[in-house]
Every structure is written in C-alpha cells, then in structure tokens.
Amino acid sequence: MTTADVEPPPAPGSSGRALARTQFVLAAVYIGAIGVAIGRAASFSGYLYLPHQGDEHTGNANLWPGLWAPTALAMIVVIGVAPYIAAAATLVAVPRLLTATMRTSVHRRSLILSTILTALVAASSLTPPVKTLLGWLVD
C-alpha cells in the first residue's frame, strides 16, 4: 500500500451534511408552524380552512389563551422569519452543490433535496394564502 492509495479525509464542512440537516429542520419547523395555525383555526370552526382576519369562526374568539400565547408568538416569528433564512440557506447551498467535492459526496442527494425544500419555503412566503395566515396570526 502506497501513499497514493490512501485518500485524504474530506475537509471539515465539505460534505454538506450539516447544511442539509439545517435546511430539513427549517422546512419542518415552517411546515409545522403553518399546520399548528391551521389546526388551531379548525378547532374553532370544526373543519380545516384558511383563516383570515375577522372571519366568522375566529373573529371574536380569544385564539391564544394561557399557554397558547407563547406558541402564537413562536409561530409568528417562524412564519415571518423562516422564509428569509431559507432563502439565505438556499443561496449558500447552490454554490456548494457546484463544487467538485460535492459532485462525489454521498450527501449530495440530501443537500439537493433540502435545497429544493428551502427554496419552496422561501417561495411559499410570497403566496397570498401564507400572507393571509400570517396576517391572521398577527391580528
């Protein structure tokens, strides 16, 4: 066995695994926050729907009493800020995917998938339903 037969270990952070995991967690937290908000609205109406400010089911209700108040604040922060973090993570991941070390990395598929998810999170914040939901939460 010669020195040429031994491959050097990859540079720290070059695999993309940490970035992919971060992107997956960010997308899951964002989707979870939207799900909790829609589920909370459904608890007042009895069915799933997209709540909006002043609607007939939640217009005059105290939506976030007691221990729900911190949850509402967390959802407002997540739904409001996560798309910007997702856009930044996407901008970091795309150049990393184009490097030569990522072409041979075993974590390339997971980084590609997580980058697509974070791009969808960033794009979803521009849609009217998410804007309506965020406005309902802030109201």
Side-chain angles (χ1 to χ4, degrees):
M1 183 151 111
T2 64
T3 321
D5 294 333
V6 179
E7 292 183 27
S14 66
S15 71
R17 181 179 14 180
L19 180 58
R21 286 180 180 173
T22 302
Q23 289 177 324
F24 280 128
V25 167
L26 180 65
V29 168
Y30 181 76
I31 292 168
I34 288 177
V36 168
I38 291 174
R40 185 69 178 149
S43 70
F44 286 92
S45 67
Y47 59 91
L48 289 176
Y49 76 106
L50 183 64
H52 55 85
Q53 291 178 341
D55 66 3
E56 65 217 33
H57 302 292
T58 61
N60 295 324
N62 184 8
L63 298 174
W64 311 106
L67 293 176
W68 278 102
T71 305
L73 179 61
M75 286 188 301
I76 291 168
V77 170
V78 167
I79 295 172
V81 176
Y84 296 108
I85 298 170
T90 301
L91 290 175
V92 168
V94 169
R96 179 171 283 179
L97 282 167
L98 299 175
T99 62
T101 57
M102 277 308 294
R103 287 189 203 127
T104 60
S105 175
V106 295
H107 302 293
R108 185 167 192 230
R109 284 188 198 154
S110 63
L111 187 57
I112 290 170
L113 182 59
S114 65
T115 302
I116 290 169
L117 281 174
T118 54
L120 289 174
V121 165
S124 73
S125 70
L126 303 174
T127 63
V130 173
K131 288 181 180 181
T132 301
L133 184 65
L134 184 59
W136 175 76
L137 283 169
V138 172
D139 185 33

